[in-house]
Amino acid sequence: MWERSQVEKLTGLSRHMIQDLCYHNTKSGGLGFWEPAVSKPGYSRFDEGDLYMFYLVGQLKRAGFTLAEVESAVSDILEDGDALEQTVRAKARMLHDRRAEYDGKLAALECLADAVAAQPTERLFAVMEAALARSVERAIERAVHVLDVDAKVAARVRTGLDGAVAWLLAVLRGDEDATGCGPECPALVERIVELVADGVAPTCTAAKQVIWDIAHKVACGQVSDADRSGVDDDMREPADAGDVTSQFAVCALATFFSEAENGVPIELVFGNGSFAFFAQAARACAADRDGCR
């Protein structure tokens, strides 16, 4: 027979949890679903069967099961059927979601940490720069999963997106030379603003042409901005749709424009409604197989 203090050391369970498992009338609301070998007021002793059970409970606790979930989980383990499989999968989904939540919080905290060394007047932009840079990395990672390209293509588009971020921040900071850098020439910026203001459907040819022009600039450092006089945008085919690097850039842009945290800097530069416009147009381009051949 084992004393409670010994069971605590052997299983890693606290005295209070052992009490809650064995008794109802505890301060924390005991389960009382397990009766130890010897149970008397102020005196308990535990046998081999108790050790097996508390070992199992200890494993459940390490797997993230709460006290309230223990009894049901124990029943699933000891009974036939697929209940245990369903319980394990449900707990795994919950833990993965929680891990993703905490990973996101840690990433956001890192963005704040990046601002520590900046001057107070620059800290907001330092946070924004760090957040946008992380978004670029996620966009590249996602695009790599979708399209099989070599490392040079991915690196090229990453550099282009980094340039886009630098341009956005330069505009927001009010830098005088901002119009001469980044992924957009003044004519393209004006065209985007006009399309959004006119309420043009993000899935139309003119809207997708904008995304392909941005993608081409990100991929190649050039924007196709030839004289458009006399030519209807809706009659044009997306520029460079057959270029692998531009395809990869479109895929990355679709992810970049889908992340809500990028909405504020984009709308401050391109105006109200531009972020949703970009997001829908980029998704349309990424899904357009004909445009990607």
Side-chain angles (χ1 to χ4, degrees):
M1 301 288 284
W2 287 265
E3 297 179 359
R4 185 176 58 197
S5 60
Q6 293 176 298
V7 175
E8 293 172 21
K9 294 178 180 179
L10 292 171
T11 64
L13 300 178
S14 68
R15 178 172 68 90
H16 292 299
M17 188 163 192
I18 292 174
Q19 287 178 328
D20 289 338
L21 291 168
C22 297
Y23 307 106
H24 287 290
N25 55 340
T26 65
K27 292 182 179 179
S28 55
L31 294 177
F33 89 96
W34 185 258
E35 184 176 351
V38 178
S39 179
K40 297 178 181 179
Y43 179 86
S44 297
R45 289 293 183 270
F46 305 90
D47 62 11
E48 290 88 348
D50 298 326
L51 288 185
Y52 279 121
M53 177 55 62
F54 291 138
Y55 172 83
L56 183 55
V57 171
Q59 293 302 110
L60 290 169
K61 184 174 179 289
R62 293 182 186 91
F65 286 85
T66 65
L67 180 63
E69 296 171 327
V70 164
E71 183 175 4
S72 176
V74 168
S75 297
D76 293 340
I77 291 172
L78 300 179
E79 295 178 1
D80 292 332
D82 60 356
L84 176 60
E85 181 180 2
Q86 295 177 11
T87 297
V88 169
R89 288 183 176 179
K91 179 58 67 174
R93 286 194 297 270
M94 184 275 288
L95 291 175
H96 281 298
D97 290 343
R98 187 178 296 175
R99 180 170 64 183
E101 176 186 353
Y102 278 101
D103 285 345
K105 289 180 179 179
L106 286 171
L109 192 62
E110 289 174 1
C111 292
L112 294 174
D114 288 343
V116 170
Q119 294 296 318
T121 55
E122 277 293 306
R123 283 177 178 168
L124 172 60
F125 294 116
V127 172
M128 189 175 289
E129 181 176 8
L132 289 168
R134 284 167 172 75
S135 182
V136 167
E137 287 304 312
R138 290 191 295 270
I140 295 298
E141 289 176 5
R142 173 59 180 165
V144 167
H145 284 299
V146 175
L147 294 177
D148 184 17
V149 298
D150 61 42
K152 290 183 179 179
V153 169
R156 189 174 186 178
V157 172
R158 179 186 287 106
T159 299
L161 287 176
D162 286 340
V165 166
W167 176 80
L168 281 171
L169 292 167
V171 173
L172 292 172
R173 285 187 170 101
D175 293 350
E176 294 181 359
D177 61 346
T179 56
C181 62
E184 317 291 356
C185 66
L188 183 57
V189 174
E190 183 178 351
R191 182 152 55 100
I192 295 167
V193 173
E194 289 178 354
L195 288 173
V196 174
D198 292 341
V200 173
T203 55
C204 74
T205 302
K208 290 191 287 186
Q209 177 67 51
V210 166
I211 298 299
W212 279 107
D213 283 348
I214 296 173
H216 183 58
K217 176 65 176 179
V218 166
C220 306
Q222 299 175 350
V223 175
S224 177
D225 195 37
D227 183 12
R228 295 173 177 272
S229 59
V231 180
D232 189 345
D233 276 336
D234 285 335
M235 298 300 293
R236 292 180 178 272
E237 291 296 324
D240 300 291
D243 177 65
V244 172
T245 309
S246 292
Q247 292 176 28
F248 185 83
V250 165
C251 189
L253 286 169
T255 296
F256 186 82
F257 289 135
S258 71
E259 298 196 343
E261 62 187 276
N262 299 333
V264 168
I266 288 173
E267 295 233 341
L268 288 175
V269 172
F270 293 99
N272 194 338
S274 58
F275 183 61
F277 176 87
F278 279 131
Q280 294 179 56
R283 285 198 300 270
C285 284
D288 186 359
R289 295 181 181 273
D290 291 335
C292 291
R293 280 204 292 261

